[in-house]
Amino acid sequence: MEELKSKLLYAPKNGYASLTAEQRAEMESYCKRYAAFMDACKTEREATAWAVETAKANGFQEMKPGMAVKPGDKVYFNNRNKSILLAVIGSESLENGANICAAHVDSPRMDVKPNPLYEDAEIAYFKTHYYGGIKKYQWATVPLAIHGVVYRKDGTVVTVTIGEDDTDPVLYVSDLLIHLSADQMQKTAAKVIEGEQLNVILGTEPLADTESDAVKLHVMKLLNEKYGIIEEDFLSAELTVVPAGRCREVGLDRSLLGAYGHDDRVCAYAEIEPLLTMGTPKHTAVCILADKEEIGSVGVSGMQSQAFEYFMEMLCDTQGVKLSRCFANSFCLSADVSNAFDPNFPEVSDRRNNCKLNYGVAICKYTGSRGKSGASDASAEAMGHVRTTLDNAGVLWQTATLGKVDQGGGGTVAAYMANRNIVTVDAGVPVISMHAPIEVVSKLDCYMTMLACKAIYLA
Ligand code: MN
Ligand code: MN
């Protein structure tokens, strides 16, 4: 009976049961490199700049129209400093399709408004507008940093990072003291901190001999001295407020990693690392680090943009291949995070179908909400391809669904890839506290997701 049971019944196991000593060592060193990437990249702009620099150091060349490429060549396309597409040219024609991994490098945060600087009760603030889905109350009373760029009137650009160095000041959004929260505590969580209360404290010291706006003027003077900017320059700036601090090990056994923006830089890193040192694959391997996923994959740097066609067409042109033919024969792993089962909140999940920490990369047949709306809903054939590919490569994987039916839902770039006539499956790292200032993932799942991306490229 036991034999029959193990033969017929699906019995997923915790990944640590089969992790070899060699794999464990590889996992630890991979996670160190991932943590360093996370510390260097908190915005899509920083991730793109990091990817360009790292790709160049690994022999990648910028792809330009009319350029000739041959199998084994490594190329990239920097999409306006906000998103990047990379490829290693395969030995087979692009007519036979490409193997694509698509992740996003934008994360929920608070963006500084176009006219942000003001003073109230002798405290200077930035007004912000949150980006992506956040529980606003989570972003008060945590240390914050500012990352971004400012384009000055003369066209020169200055890069701003405040709050990450140990000697830097951090920024802060206030919450109400519990002593006076009788009314606030009656509100729903959505209203406890409202959008227009996400005002970031910048300073309190008035500039001497100044009649009005003395604190605001002081802050502007400091910014002017450090960055050479004036208040009007905020109009042509892209400043974002994100949680300050580094990626840290979590748990007494150090099996987890806590950081801002694992969603989805944990999959972005899993995709790009194996591509950097890849030999000549059979099919051309394409890595996408997209922007704007958290607000619907819109805009020129989002996955709905024709920038993807622009890059792929440049590649197809080098071989006289029709783009539509290439797409029809391509496969895409939409590499994005899933919700790990959280025993603190079991009521939102179907335990039989939710992914778990340490069970490996989570393959998700469909995302969406209310009857799969908005999902690409991968076919049996597509799921079979992923299952076989990962099994053959010895990658630990599990299945995932985004919570209980009708509990909520979400989407990824999968639907936009599938709309292009590219067979697409969602897969990624299970996450605890997704979209919170600090999210948690397991080292084992991070490592397995990297192995999964590698296997898909080489399929
Ligand atoms: Mn995501
Ligand atoms: Mn997300």
Side-chain angles (χ1 to χ4, degrees):
M1 278 306 165
E2 281 307 310
E3 208 173 288
L4 193 65
K5 199 172 164 190
S6 72
K7 190 178 163 196
L8 297 185
L9 300 187
Y10 176 48
K13 285 191 183 68
N14 188 301
Y16 277 98
S18 59
L19 201 66
T20 65
E22 195 188 352
Q23 283 180 315
R24 184 185 275 260
E26 269 179 34
M27 173 185 93
E28 291 293 347
S29 65
Y30 172 76
C31 286
K32 280 204 174 69
R33 296 193 296 276
Y34 169 56
F37 165 78
M38 290 300 273
D39 293 342
C41 306
K42 287 197 171 178
T43 64
E44 67 282 353
R45 192 178 280 277
E46 290 169 351
T48 300
W50 181 94
V52 168
E53 198 182 310
T54 310
K56 277 187 188 164
N58 283 277
F60 281 70
Q61 280 185 297
E62 189 177 2
M63 188 69 202
K64 296 203 172 107
M67 207 167 106
V69 294
K70 59 180 189 311
D73 279 359
K74 301 163 156 188
V75 293
Y76 71 89
F77 171 65
N78 175 353
N79 185 5
R80 300 164 175 93
N81 301 323
K82 300 275 282 177
S83 160
I84 184 168
L85 307 159
L86 307 100
V88 179
I89 309 301
S91 54
E92 281 195 17
S93 165
L94 277 158
E95 174 107 16
N96 300 333
N99 281 327
I100 305 163
C101 290
H104 65 93
V105 282
D106 60 316
S107 298
R109 63 189 184 223
M110 297 181 286
D111 284 341
V112 172
K113 287 192 182 186
N115 185 18
L117 185 60
Y118 74 102
E119 173 178 335
D120 194 348
E122 290 159 88
I123 302 173
Y125 292 96
F126 268 162
K127 295 290 303 175
T128 68
H129 194 144
Y130 68 97
Y131 170 97
I134 63 168
K135 292 181 172 181
K136 296 186 258 305
Y137 66 82
Q138 292 180 331
W139 294 68
T141 75
V142 296
L144 300 167
I146 293 188
H147 290 239
V149 292
V150 183
Y151 274 81
R152 291 176 291 216
K153 199 171 189 146
D154 64 3
T156 56
V157 61
V158 57
T159 302
V160 175
T161 314
I162 306 168
E164 300 295 353
D165 196 277
D166 285 344
T167 59
D168 275 358
V170 293
L171 303 161
Y172 188 82
V173 171
S174 67
D175 193 1
L176 199 52
L177 64 169
I178 184 66
H179 316 69
L180 299 179
S181 294
D183 291 346
Q184 189 199 35
M185 296 301 277
Q186 300 307 313
K187 294 181 182 179
T188 61
K191 299 272 183 187
V192 162
I193 296 282
E194 301 212 47
E196 292 293 352
Q197 289 176 313
L198 292 174
N199 302 316
V200 178
I201 295 179
L202 300 172
T204 60
E205 183 186 338
L207 202 63
D209 306 320
T210 309
E211 281 195 9
S212 64
D213 276 348
V215 179
K216 172 180 168 175
L217 188 61
H218 189 193
V219 165
M220 199 61 238
K221 185 168 173 281
L222 290 171
L223 288 170
N224 180 265
E225 283 164 5
K226 189 162 182 198
Y227 298 110
I229 57 174
I230 59 173
E231 189 180 10
E232 200 183 333
D233 290 330
F234 290 127
L235 175 67
S236 47
E238 199 174 87
L239 296 172
T240 70
V241 179
V242 298
R246 289 163 173 267
C247 179
R248 301 280 300 266
E249 290 177 315
V250 173
L252 298 183
D253 61 2
R254 302 173 184 264
S255 60
L256 306 170
L257 292 172
Y260 161 66
H262 283 311
D263 176 9
D264 183 32
R265 287 190 280 278
V266 68
C267 295
Y269 191 74
E271 274 182 18
I272 193 170
E273 201 194 82
L275 192 85
L276 290 170
T277 53
M278 186 175 285
T280 309
K282 189 169 144 203
H283 295 278
T284 294
V286 177
C287 168
I288 304 173
L289 308 188
D291 181 26
K292 300 277 183 280
E293 193 278 340
E294 295 295 356
I295 59 168
S297 298
V298 290
V300 76
S301 50
M303 210 55 246
Q304 297 193 66
S305 162
Q306 290 281 316
F308 178 61
E309 277 75 4
Y310 181 76
F311 175 65
M312 291 303 292
E313 199 166 71
M314 276 196 282
L315 298 183
C316 285
D317 283 350
T318 65
Q319 301 179 0
V321 169
K322 268 188 133 178
L323 181 66
S324 60
R325 204 74 69 80
C326 172
F327 278 3
N329 293 318
S330 291
F331 175 81
C332 176
L333 192 80
S334 166
D336 206 342
V337 297
S338 272
N339 67 307
F341 178 76
D342 185 343
N344 253 353
F345 304 97
E347 64 280 4
V348 303
S349 294
D350 164 11
R351 286 188 88 141
R352 284 177 192 83
N353 281 284
N354 212 102
C355 63
K356 293 166 76 174
L357 291 175
N358 293 326
Y359 276 66
V361 58
I363 309 172
C364 196
K365 188 178 188 299
Y366 51 85
T367 57
S369 54
R370 294 164 287 101
K372 302 187 179 181
S373 278
S376 67
D377 200 5
S379 68
E381 291 86 344
M383 296 297 282
H385 169 66
V386 173
R387 177 185 173 193
T388 307
T389 303
L390 300 192
D391 277 348
N392 289 344
V395 180
L396 298 179
W397 58 268
Q398 58 180 324
T399 55
T401 58
L402 188 54
K404 256 186 187 169
V405 175
D406 288 339
Q407 183 64 44
T412 66
V413 301
Y416 309 115
M417 298 308 290
N419 285 348
R420 292 176 158 112
N421 196 28
I422 298 172
V423 172
T424 303
V425 174
D426 274 295
V429 177
V431 176
I432 293 276
S433 305
M434 198 191 296
H435 286 205
I438 302 294
E439 303 171 318
V440 168
V441 295
S442 101
K443 287 180 179 175
L444 187 145
D445 299 331
C446 294
Y447 174 60
M448 288 300 159
T449 301
M450 182 274 287
L451 293 182
C453 292
K454 194 175 177 180
I456 291 296
Y457 286 138
L458 298 178

